[in-house]
Amino acid sequence: MSGLPVPYSADPALACPCNPGACTGRRFGPTHALILLIAFLGLGSGLFLTGTPLETVFMLLGGLGAIGAATLTAAGGGRRLMAVLVEAAVRSSTGK
């Protein structure tokens, strides 16, 4: 590792030296959603073509979607929403 300091700026326009006009400060946009959709479709199709049963494909993709949604919720500052979802999951698993 080099001892060179890494410049840091809180301004999103200055944080992207390659093309300052392209940095909007948004973390999840339509391009990201399209990439995730293509990845999900590709993964599901690939698993199905290799002979994986549909129930397993749906279970794996559902689990990956749940993990992704939980990560986006936690990273986006939705801690209260996350607490409500966890509470609902716990209550449904205990039968209350």
Side-chain angles (χ1 to χ4, degrees):
M1 296 185 73
S2 66
L4 297 174
V6 178
Y8 173 75
S9 173
D11 184 15
L14 298 175
C16 186
C18 57
N19 188 2
C23 296
T24 60
R26 292 177 21 195
R27 297 181 186 259
F28 187 78
T31 305
H32 297 103
L34 179 64
I35 291 171
L36 288 175
L37 177 66
I38 291 171
F40 262 62
L41 292 175
L43 180 63
S45 299
L47 287 170
F48 178 71
L49 290 175
T50 59
T52 307
L54 276 179
E55 297 83 20
T56 306
V57 171
F58 291 142
M59 184 176 60
L60 287 172
L61 291 180
L64 290 174
I67 291 170
T71 303
L72 284 175
T73 301
R79 290 186 179 91
R80 185 171 23 178
L81 175 63
M82 187 91 147
V84 169
L85 291 175
V86 168
E87 181 181 351
V90 169
R91 286 181 185 231
S92 68
S93 67
T94 58
K96 292 185 178 180

